[in-house]
Amino acid sequence: MLFILYTSGTTGKPKGVVHSTGGYNLYSHITLKWAFDLKDTDVYWCTADIGWITGHSYIVYGPLSNGATSLMYEGAPRPTNPGCLWDIIEKYGVNIFYTAPTAIRAFIKMGEHLPKARNLSSLRLLGTVGEPINPEAWMWYYRVIGQSRCPIVDTWWQTETGGFMIAPLPGAIPTKPGSATRPLPGILADIVDLEGNAVEANNGGYLVVKYPWPGMMRTVYGNPDRFRRTYWEHIPPKDGKYLYFAGDGARKDDDGYFWVMGRVDDVINVAGHRLGTMEIESALVSHESVAEAAVVGRPDQLKGEDIVAFVTLEDKYEASDELKEQLKRHVVQEIGAIARPGEILFSESLPKTRSGKIMRRLLRNLASGQEIAGDTSTLEDRTVLDKLREGA
């Protein structure tokens, strides 16, 4: 055993993920080297919280085992110095910048003038981690931060996998905004239905991994039954072989590229139609006024569930009933009438873990008028909940 890392608690019941010494170190070492084309002359910066799996794999173990020059920073952009990250890139000549889509959407809200006022010419590679990135944020990241010349390495992986599973190899795999592209060498992933059968291209299903890999978790600490049930028995074995169930919904396109749509428990059932929350969130964020959005379902006697959207606006826009109606029409135009939000709530910020993930289960509690339940120890800013309660 190397370490036990408890998952962020977005589900309310954190799991103690156990990683081993040899397998984990090998995997974090080689995946960092491959995905970021690491060179001796690079200054590499991962902005993750050091206590998150990204901090373990790609701030500590991976960079140190590769002998990389790794920059660490404690904190976040504040209103008093919103351009601090770009100052650091300019000051230290950072070549590789690895951050989360949540952070990128926050950068968009702060404005292009901040990065454009700094010299970011040292950057040669950009990366994203933590959740699927919507195409609009991808394009902004590529155009403004990468100055339309830096490849973006969009990485799909988990606390449980120990390292990157699906990611482009820069210069070798062409990228598509919003897609993590293809599995890394040695990783055999697929999209299947609940019976374990592969689904056709462009059809949604469950993301699975067919064979073991060095960095995989070894068990849930003190609860091997939960490990077996959660990851290996959700999808029935095919031909006597167990499939690793990632818990994410995804699809493959005609080129074999993977498009991760978010957690399978982040699905809303509206009048018999299953809608992915990420799909609705992406539609909202594509509107010029929206900086960030989180969508949840709440019980509805007629439709089963109704859609509630929590929306953070760009600075130059003000909340209004007219804008709410505009956004509802925009979602209908982008997806269809069935996806029209029943309610839109404007908020200055959203409840997030320190690793940048939106804690949607808290928003579900708020939208349903329930008490906040489950673990909230990873919540970054507790005042956000109080403000949301006042506005709900």
Side-chain angles (χ1 to χ4, degrees), residues 97 220 265 273 315 375:
F97 182 63
V220 172
D265 49 14
H273 296 266
D315 284 340
D375 178 56

Side-chain angles (χ1 to χ4, degrees), residues 8-10 350-363 366 372 374-386 388-389:
S8 62
T10 55
L350 299 171
K352 296 172 186 173
T353 65
R354 291 191 68 196
S355 60
K357 290 186 180 179
I358 297 169
M359 298 182 78
R360 286 177 178 81
R361 66 177 174 83
L362 303 184
L363 296 177
L366 286 168
I372 300 297
D375 178 56
T376 58
S377 60
T378 56
L379 186 61
E380 182 182 27
D381 183 357
R382 294 178 180 276
T383 64
V384 172
L385 282 181
D386 297 328
L388 282 169
R389 280 195 193 97

Side-chain angles (χ1 to χ4, degrees), residues 196-213:
N197 303 307
V199 302
E200 295 182 3
N202 297 309
N203 285 350
Y206 300 92
L207 179 53
V208 297
V209 184
K210 292 178 161 183
Y211 289 93
W213 62 99

Side-chain angles (χ1 to χ4, degrees), residues 145-159:
I145 307 305
Q147 298 168 355
S148 300
R149 57 178 177 76
C150 297
I152 294 178
V153 178
D154 179 2
T155 61
W156 176 83
W157 60 297
Q158 301 173 307
T159 303

